[in-house]
Amino acid sequence: MTEPSGSKTMSEPRGKTTIADGVVAKVAGMAAGEVQGVYALGGGLARTVGAVRDRVPGGRGSVTRGVKVEVGERQSAIDLELVVEYGVPIADVAGDVRENVIAAVERMTGLEVVEVNIAVDDVHLPQEESEDEEPAGGRVR
């Protein structure tokens, strides 16, 4: 049996367990998004493309936007791009994200997380939200 591309197999006494890189990325993305003070994941271009994709009927937001992983047989390394809310202590948010991601990935996959690198690419300002949103009912009245 061949191993799917982008996945790792762990041999156990009674069989093998295969964990795809995308699984680790989803777990990390969900865990990062749960932390208070995180507005979004992804850098400028990734967020722009994602926003367009989210507006397409039937489109879904991606929890892996801004998440890159490297997965070995027993270890993983994770890189995250974040946008934080204005007014929150960035170092504290980054520390909380790091702890939450490590705990979630290790608990759910059994892989040791050797590092979580965090790049804070932007700060979300309260007035940005009101400028980005269209009034209810669309532009035409």
Side-chain angles (χ1 to χ4, degrees):
M1 183 170 167
T2 61
E3 183 176 305
S5 177
S7 63
K8 305 302 174 213
T9 301
M10 297 178 281
S11 295
E12 301 294 331
R14 294 187 176 188
K16 294 180 182 179
T17 301
T18 303
I19 300 174
D21 292 2
V23 170
V24 176
K26 280 186 177 183
V27 171
M30 288 295 294
E34 291 172 349
V35 174
Q36 189 168 3
V38 174
Y39 177 74
L41 275 72
L45 181 59
R47 283 195 353 256
T48 301
V49 171
V52 170
R53 189 179 310 137
D54 293 347
R55 291 181 187 208
V56 173
R60 290 187 201 163
S62 174
V63 297
T64 60
R65 186 181 311 142
V67 180
K68 294 179 186 159
V69 300
E70 291 181 37
V71 180
E73 286 186 33
R74 299 269 179 218
Q75 298 178 325
S76 62
I78 301 164
D79 296 327
L80 300 168
E81 294 179 357
L82 304 178
V83 177
V84 298
E85 294 282 354
Y86 175 78
V88 300
I90 294 173
D92 292 348
V93 171
D96 292 346
V97 167
R98 187 172 286 110
E99 288 177 20
N100 207 40
V101 167
I102 290 169
V105 170
E106 288 184 347
R107 178 176 35 84
M108 292 184 69
T109 67
L111 295 167
E112 176 191 6
V113 178
V114 294
E115 66 181 10
V116 176
N117 299 309
I118 298 173
V120 178
D121 290 337
D122 200 359
V123 174
H124 178 260
L125 303 174
Q127 66 266 22
E128 288 177 343
E129 196 164 310
S130 60
E131 292 172 3
D132 292 342
E133 294 177 356
E134 289 183 12
R139 296 179 0 182
V140 180
R141 296 198 187 260

